[in-house]
Each structure stands twice: as C-alpha cells, then as structure tokens.
Amino acid sequence: MKKAGDILTAFLDKETLEKACQMGKLFSSTVWSDILNRCKLSHGITHSRIAELEKSVLLVEADHPGWIQLLQTKQSELLKEVRKRFPEITFTGISFRLMKQ
C-alpha cells in the first residue's frame, strides 16, 4: 500500500508540495505559540489561534474581545514574525475575530 505522500508526489510538482507543507505548518499551534512568545504575548497562547488565510490576510481567532484588543496592539509585530517565519507565503495583513463557540 502506498503512502499518501507518495501518491501526491506523483500528481503535484515539488513547488506545490512544498507550499502545501508550509500552509500546514502555518496552522500549527506550536508555530502560533512561538510567534506569540517572540512578540511577548505568551499569555495569549491558550486564548487565540490562527484560523484561516484568505486572500493573503491571516485570520486570527480569540476567545474574548479583550484578547483581540491585546493582539491588535501587537498586530504589526505579529505580521512581521509570520512573514519572517513563512517568506514563501504572501501576507498582506492580519484580521481578528471572536471564536465561534
């Protein structure tokens, strides 16, 4: 039985596979934790997460409006860290929303 990665390799070029792997890493809670730590927002790790990337805008969800406000104060630093971590992905901005319960 072939692995999923072997099957995908047969259909997709190397560049597409690499971008898909990077997109998967983008949504990792470990990556988000590292980014928040670098921006001195470690207390927000359990209260927020990367939810989507839509039209080059990173959508971050938080569990309370207060956390959104706090994240917004460091918005430019967060964007800088995300861009540094994922230079192959274009990010034009960050948007915040309340988590769906």
Side-chain angles (χ1 to χ4, degrees):
M1 183 180 236
K2 290 187 176 186
K3 294 180 182 177
D6 296 333
I7 295 169
L8 287 174
T9 303
F11 289 107
L12 302 173
D13 60 53
K14 187 176 179 177
E15 184 179 323
T16 303
L17 282 173
E18 180 61 30
K19 189 168 184 176
C21 287
Q22 290 299 315
M23 290 295 282
K25 290 176 187 177
L26 173 65
F27 294 96
S28 162
S29 60
T30 305
V31 168
W32 183 238
S33 296
D34 184 50
I35 290 168
L36 289 176
N37 281 326
R38 291 178 183 272
C39 293
K40 309 225 183 321
L41 289 170
S42 59
H43 47 283
I45 292 170
T46 59
H47 299 281
S48 62
R49 67 183 181 99
I50 295 175
E52 294 177 39
L53 177 62
E54 187 174 324
K55 297 181 183 175
S56 300
V57 176
L58 191 65
L59 181 59
V60 175
E61 290 183 333
D63 62 4
H64 188 274
W67 287 110
I68 291 174
Q69 288 180 328
L70 186 60
L71 291 167
Q72 285 174 328
T73 65
K74 299 276 190 161
Q75 187 168 352
S76 60
E77 289 178 53
L78 290 168
L79 187 57
K80 181 180 175 183
E81 285 298 322
V82 170
R83 285 177 174 155
K84 185 166 53 172
R85 184 89 180 227
F86 299 96
E88 64 285 341
I89 303 173
T90 302
F91 299 96
T92 57
I94 298 181
S95 182
F96 300 94
R97 76 174 176 202
L98 200 55
M99 279 184 194
K100 298 174 184 172
Q101 301 291 333

